[in-house]
Amino acid sequence: MANNTETGAVEVRAVAKFVRVAPRKARLVVDQIRNKSCDKALEILQFSEVAAAEPVAKCLRSAMANAENNNGLRRDTLYVKAAYVDEGPTLKRFRPRAKGSASRINKRTSHITVVVAPGKEA
């Protein structure tokens, strides 16, 4: 939780770490929900066919629950103030190839962060 002392606004965040989704693919989903009301963002994620939408929605619901239970904020006034995806550690795997060689397969992970704040009723 971060309190912005200048404006008095409360920001509440949730972080999902080591999610087995490539960051590049998760960023496509996160870009769609930034600066939207939380209810609208959940609706967008629910009908998104991208696999990364599920862990992003889970992180958003967690941030909303944190705001509601820990800070006493009303759910219907929350909006997604910030949402970003950082790169986590890459799992390196090998696949056998022709003539006894091997090629590396990178299984990338993500750290998904969602920040919600009251205001901007939409």
Side-chain angles (χ1 to χ4, degrees):
M1 179 191 85
N3 286 332
N4 192 345
T5 55
E6 296 150 9
T7 59
V10 178
E11 296 175 356
V12 184
R13 67 187 206 141
V15 182
K17 291 186 141 194
F18 307 106
V19 179
R20 256 298 285 123
V21 173
R24 185 173 172 181
K25 295 177 181 178
R27 284 185 190 114
L28 294 173
V29 175
V30 165
D31 290 342
Q32 293 178 334
I33 66 166
R34 202 173 286 123
N35 296 321
K36 301 257 191 317
S37 71
C38 285
D39 293 331
K40 181 72 173 167
L42 280 174
E43 192 176 307
I44 291 168
L45 293 171
Q46 181 182 354
F47 293 105
S48 176
E49 294 182 5
V50 183
E54 195 174 321
V56 171
K58 187 175 179 180
C59 191
L60 175 59
R61 281 193 292 271
S62 177
M64 291 168 66
N66 289 343
E68 203 171 357
N69 297 320
N70 300 343
N71 295 78
L73 300 174
R74 287 185 41 221
R75 180 188 170 114
D76 54 345
T77 63
L78 297 175
Y79 80 104
V80 181
K81 183 170 186 176
Y84 52 91
V85 179
D86 295 322
E87 196 167 331
T90 300
L91 305 173
K92 292 155 183 96
R93 301 292 181 256
F94 291 92
R95 171 176 226 114
R97 304 303 288 197
K99 299 181 182 177
S101 65
S103 64
R104 191 163 86 174
I105 294 178
N106 294 325
K107 294 184 179 277
R108 302 186 186 277
T109 61
S110 304
H111 300 320
I112 302 168
T113 305
V114 178
V115 179
V116 296
K120 269 199 184 181
E121 295 183 43

